Amino acid sequence: MTLEGIVTAYLGFRWLHALQTLCLGAFLLIASAASASEEGSITLILADERLELPLSAGHSDWTGSHGFAKVSILTRPNDVETWQQFQSLRLAFDLLRNGAQMAEMSLLRRTVDAGFERWYGRTDSSGLIVTLQDRAFDDDLLRVSGSFTGLLGQSTDFGQTIDLSAPMPVSGTFAVTLRPIR
């Protein structure tokens, strides 16, 4: 083998090694980005009914800063049986350094005649309270968990006025990982 052939083989080996290193780095970056995704669930107790609802990642998010953020968590059932009686739940609140404030909840349920009932709750009108257990920011991801309790009432104007003459007690827990609003 000539000197030129040895140099060419050596440079080819270095190029191949560099390409392998680059591919491995890209794989690790993609894998860590894929594992850092939106996920979570809400456990919901309505009167005597208990539901475990998965996060609807494309519709849940947060906006603001680490000191003050607005959080919006949307869940939808992923099985047909639950879907036939329950459509969606939205829990939203302001996340401050020392806790959660101004909680809001909306719930869409099916009735026996295949219609819909819209239930709403807010801190100022039905005593809906969110208590934080944990919160952490990891780059742009927000991990937050806690519990909620209060009353829901029906509304015909999307929660502007809430009729609490026949309230439905609501409570539950949540543990979610959210991306910022896109």
Side-chain angles (χ1 to χ4, degrees), residues 4-84:
E4 184 180 340
I6 293 173
V7 170
T8 302
Y10 176 73
L11 290 176
F13 173 75
R14 287 189 62 201
W15 181 84
L16 181 60
H17 179 71
L19 181 61
Q20 287 174 331
T21 303
L22 180 64
C23 288
L24 178 61
F27 172 77
L28 292 174
L29 181 64
I30 290 169
S32 67
S35 68
S37 63
E38 292 178 304
E39 61 186 8
S41 65
I42 288 182
T43 300
L44 176 69
I45 302 167
L46 298 170
D48 60 350
E49 187 177 17
R50 181 185 175 97
L51 300 165
E52 184 78 22
L53 302 166
L55 179 74
S56 180
H59 299 98
S60 301
D61 51 45
W62 71 274
T63 185
S65 67
H66 292 201
F68 174 81
K70 289 189 170 284
V71 175
S72 179
I73 303 167
L74 183 77
T75 65
R76 292 191 174 131
N78 56 7
D79 64 278
V80 174
E81 182 181 329
T82 307
W83 180 259
Q84 290 173 343

Side-chain angles (χ1 to χ4, degrees), residues 2 4 8 18 20 28 34 36 45 49 62 70 75 78 85 89 98 122-123 130 150 152 160 169 172 178 181:
T2 66
E4 184 180 340
T8 302
Q20 287 174 331
L28 292 174
I45 302 167
E49 187 177 17
W62 71 274
K70 289 189 170 284
T75 65
N78 56 7
Q85 61 181 337
L89 167 79
N98 59 350
R122 292 192 315 260
T123 298
V130 170
L152 299 180
Q160 295 300 312
L178 306 173
I181 196 166

Side-chain angles (χ1 to χ4, degrees), residues 157-169:
D157 58 6
F158 299 99
Q160 295 300 312
T161 57
I162 300 172
D163 179 6
L164 291 169
S165 62
M168 179 172 44

